[in-house]
């Protein structure tokens, strides 16, 4: 009897909006307030630099995914080029990345709902998880539809912000904070008001803002016509970075002097309120709520697919490799959702620090995953020149750009070690890798022992 397989039900419009949704989330709508406080107007440079680096990671991932038909995610790539140990560590680390990210987003859902209703924040968080779980259990097409509409709401909001901002700039509109003018970018202490230190310390939150861009790669196994859809989505990333990140921040900082924005408030909510749009705060609060739900939805999708792939590669329990009648890894979805729900507990135990802790750990782990993609691409060019020669989607400026981006990532980790706020999470994260190393070694030893016993029985 044939085993059920993942269905290729994600159409081009789903892939395009997954790519957009993956690069617009809580990190931009909420986390950018903290980053602006650290870096001032130079935050636009930080977003641009990290965005360029992420684009080259995605070009490398795209070329690798399309180089071999059997690849379903970058864990398959890691196993092919770096061995089963690297695949095990990278797969489980990616699962952990998204668990942390989804925890941050489910915490955010609870906080945003409190804007309207005075209820404990864990209640809307749990309700959100139950709804998303039910929809994701049906078909992968439901995930695509959810992300399509969630991403569309984000896109419309940012388009509205940029359009309104340009009109206000032309008008020289005056708010309670002063005139809307491009000079707000430098007249409040300069472009680098907190010096080089503030600029460097902003990199952690900006890295977190880009997590999820690689969802295009995770969804490869369920994408119809990946040879067309994946390159199309990846090639549009630079335009999206310039428009949705740098463009939106440019408008925000022209309307609001950076000194008026706080780390605890969404700069988008603040801006729409400042220009006097009726019900603006409520409308934007709804948008950031859907953004958090979207990111949580992405987390549930990616963690379930990673567990499924780990199981198929015998690096996780066979229980996680089973598909339901809708060709969805239901068991993997259930366990991932259960772990994500711990985010509500974390927000109750350490409400002030919870968001910062999980975003820092997430950023560190994503740097590992992105770094593995770059290292695999370097080995691909060295060891598979025949595949590279046939590639129709060659990553540009390699391998030099791979080494440059890896150097940038190493520099960001050093900055996290220096910064007092991110240092504890950075020092904790290696324990995760030590745990995975030990678990893999134990599993490998048991596997070899079973093989030896089978050989003895055969003899």
């Amino acid at each position: 009897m044939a085993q059920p397989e993942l269905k290729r039900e994600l159409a081009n419009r789903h892939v395009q909006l997954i790519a957009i949704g993956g690069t617009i989330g809580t990190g931009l709508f909420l986390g950018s307030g903290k980053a602006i406080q650290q870096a001032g107007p130079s935050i636009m440079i930080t977003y641009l630099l990290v965005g360029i680096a992420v684009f080259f990671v995605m070009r490398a991932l795209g070329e690798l995914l399309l180089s071999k038909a059997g690849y379903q995610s970058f864990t398959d790539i890691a196993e092919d080029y770096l061995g089963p140990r690297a695949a095990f560590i990278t797969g489980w680390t990616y699962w952990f990345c998204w668990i942390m990210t989804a925890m941050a987003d489910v915490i955010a859902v609870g906080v945003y709902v409190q804007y309207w209703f005075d209820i404990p924040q864990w209640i809307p968080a749990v309700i959100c998880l139950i709804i998303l779980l039910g929809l994701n259990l049906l078909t992968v097409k439901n995930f695509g539809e959810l992300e399509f509409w969630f991403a569309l709401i984000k896109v419309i909001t940012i388009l509205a912000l940029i359009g309104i901002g340009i009109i206000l700039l032309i008008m020289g509109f005056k708010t309670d904070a002063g005139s809307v003018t491009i000079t707000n970018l430098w007249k409040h202490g300069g472009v680098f008001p907190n010096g080089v230190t503030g600029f460097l310390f902003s990199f952690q939150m900006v890295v977190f803002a880009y997590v999820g861009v690689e969802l295009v790669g995770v969804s490869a196994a369920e994408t119809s016509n990946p040879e067309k859809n994946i390159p199309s989505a990846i090639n549009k990333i630079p335009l999206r970075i310039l428009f949705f990140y740098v463009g939106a921040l440019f408008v925000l900082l022209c309307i609001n002097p950076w000194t008026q924005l706080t780390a605890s408030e969404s700069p988008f909510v603040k801006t729409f309120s400042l220009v006097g749009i009726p019900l603006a705060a409520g409308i934007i609060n709804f948008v950031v709520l859907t953004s958090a739900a979207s990111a949580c939805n992405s987390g549930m999708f990616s963690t379930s697919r990673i567990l499924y792939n780990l199981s198929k590669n015998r690096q996780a329990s066979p229980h996680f490799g089973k598909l339901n009648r809708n060709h969805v890894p239901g068991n993997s979805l259930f366990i991932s959702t259960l772990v994500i729900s711990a985010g509500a507990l974390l927000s109750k135990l350490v409400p002030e620090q919870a968001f910062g802790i999980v975003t820092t750990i997430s950023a560190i782990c994503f740097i590992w995953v992105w770094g593995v993609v770059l290292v695999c691409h370097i080995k691909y060019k060295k060891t598979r020149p025949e595949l590279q020669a046939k590639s129709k989607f060659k990553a540009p400026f390699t391998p030099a750009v791979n080494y440059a981006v890896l150097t940038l990532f190493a520099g960001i980790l050093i900055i996290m070690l220096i910064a007092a706020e991110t240092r504890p999470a950075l020092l904790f994260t290696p324990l995760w890798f030590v745990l995975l190393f030990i678990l893999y070694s134990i599993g490998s030893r048991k596997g070899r022992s079973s093989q030896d016993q089978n050989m003895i029985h055969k003899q």
Side-chain angles (χ1 to χ4, degrees):
M1 201 175 162
Q3 290 294 317
E5 296 182 353
L6 296 174
K7 279 192 172 182
R8 293 186 177 273
E9 290 189 331
L10 294 179
N12 183 49
R13 69 184 179 92
H14 294 139
V15 176
Q16 296 296 334
L17 269 294
I18 286 170
I20 294 175
T23 51
I24 307 171
T26 309
L28 176 63
F29 283 122
L30 185 62
S32 58
K34 178 182 176 182
I36 290 168
Q37 276 294 299
Q38 291 172 316
S42 66
I43 191 64
M44 291 185 292
I45 302 173
T46 314
Y47 272 96
L48 189 60
L49 287 174
V50 177
I52 291 169
V54 168
F55 170 67
F56 285 120
V57 171
M58 288 304 299
R59 281 301 302 259
L61 177 60
E63 182 174 4
L64 287 169
L65 279 171
L66 297 176
S67 69
K68 186 175 177 180
Y71 289 149
Q72 295 196 341
S73 75
F74 43 75
T75 51
D76 297 331
I77 296 168
E79 180 161 13
D80 207 1
Y81 290 97
L82 302 178
R85 187 192 302 272
F88 177 85
I89 293 173
T90 301
W92 278 105
T93 297
Y94 188 66
W95 179 83
F96 188 58
C97 286
W98 268 108
I99 288 293
M100 291 290 104
T101 304
M103 278 187 184
D105 292 307
V106 83
I107 291 167
V109 166
V111 172
Y112 294 144
V113 170
Q114 284 183 322
Y115 176 85
W116 294 293
F117 307 105
D118 185 19
I119 58 175
Q121 67 184 51
W122 66 267
I123 293 176
V126 171
I127 292 172
C128 175
L129 282 174
I130 291 171
I131 292 172
L132 292 178
L133 174 63
L135 290 170
N136 274 278
L137 280 171
L138 297 176
T139 65
V140 68
K141 195 171 183 179
N142 280 351
F143 165 77
E145 286 297 328
L146 277 173
E147 281 305 290
F148 178 84
W149 292 108
F150 278 149
L152 201 58
I153 291 171
K154 301 180 202 179
V155 170
I156 291 170
T157 302
I158 295 180
L159 285 173
L161 172 72
I162 293 174
I164 291 168
I166 291 171
I167 293 170
L168 296 180
L169 265 173
I170 295 170
M171 291 171 55
F173 188 83
K174 289 189 177 182
T175 69
D176 293 340
S179 297
V180 177
T181 170
I182 196 170
T183 60
N184 281 332
L185 297 178
W186 59 79
K187 74 177 184 181
H188 299 277
V191 177
F192 295 86
N194 294 324
V196 176
T197 303
F199 170 69
L200 294 176
F201 284 178
S202 69
F203 272 84
Q204 176 267 323
M205 188 54 72
V206 173
V207 169
F208 175 72
Y210 281 108
V211 303
V213 68
E214 75 299 317
L215 267 180
V216 174
V218 177
S219 62
E222 295 166 273
T223 301
S224 61
N225 197 2
E227 291 80 8
K228 177 185 177 182
N229 295 338
I230 291 176
S232 174
I234 291 173
N235 282 335
K236 290 171 183 171
I237 288 174
L239 184 61
R240 288 164 184 157
I241 288 167
L242 283 171
F243 192 79
F244 292 111
Y245 279 101
V246 182
L249 289 169
F250 171 81
V251 169
L252 281 173
L253 293 170
C254 286
I255 297 172
N256 286 291
W258 74 273
T259 52
Q260 299 290 317
L261 301 173
T262 63
S264 60
E265 184 181 13
S266 169
F268 287 79
V269 175
K270 173 81 172 177
T271 300
F272 275 85
S273 300
L274 198 63
V275 299
I277 299 176
L279 303 176
I283 294 168
I284 302 306
N285 194 72
F286 172 75
V287 171
V288 295
L289 171 62
T290 60
S291 174
S294 167
C296 188
N297 187 45
S298 297
M300 291 168 66
F301 173 85
S302 57
T303 51
S304 64
R305 269 53 178 185
I306 286 292
L307 278 184
Y308 172 81
N309 281 320
L310 286 168
S311 177
K312 300 305 284 185
N313 293 332
R314 298 183 179 180
Q315 293 178 330
S317 167
H319 184 69
F320 299 133
K322 295 179 180 178
L323 300 178
N324 64 19
R325 61 183 181 182
N326 297 318
H327 299 262
V328 170
N331 293 335
S332 295
L333 258 173
F334 273 117
I335 193 65
S336 294
T337 305
L338 185 63
V339 179
I340 291 167
S341 67
L345 176 63
L346 187 65
S347 68
K348 187 173 183 178
L349 296 174
V350 282
E352 299 298 324
Q353 296 83 26
F355 189 76
I357 291 169
V358 295
T359 55
T360 302
I361 294 174
S362 177
I364 294 164
C365 292
F366 269 103
I367 286 175
W368 167 275
V369 172
W370 294 342
V372 166
V373 170
L374 293 171
V375 172
C376 286
H377 191 270
I378 291 169
K379 290 204 71 175
Y380 156 79
K381 288 203 72 170
K382 286 183 178 179
T383 61
R384 310 276 176 86
E386 71 286 354
L387 289 179
Q388 213 271 331
K390 292 190 297 183
S391 174
K392 296 179 181 178
F393 191 56
K394 290 183 174 67
F397 313 122
T398 58
V401 76
N402 293 18
Y403 290 112
V405 174
L406 286 170
T407 303
L408 174 64
F409 288 161
I412 293 171
L413 292 176
I414 293 170
I415 293 166
M416 289 185 189
L417 182 62
I418 295 169
E421 189 175 348
T422 54
R423 189 184 305 126
L426 180 67
L427 295 176
F428 162 79
T429 306
L431 295 177
W432 168 255
F433 292 99
V434 171
L435 174 64
L436 291 179
F437 188 89
I438 293 170
L439 289 175
Y440 180 81
S441 299
I442 293 171
S444 297
R445 199 176 300 120
K446 285 183 179 179
R448 287 194 298 270
S449 176
S450 298
Q451 287 178 353
D452 291 342
Q453 287 178 3
N454 289 335
M455 290 293 291
I456 291 170
H457 287 310
K458 286 180 181 179
Q459 290 174 357

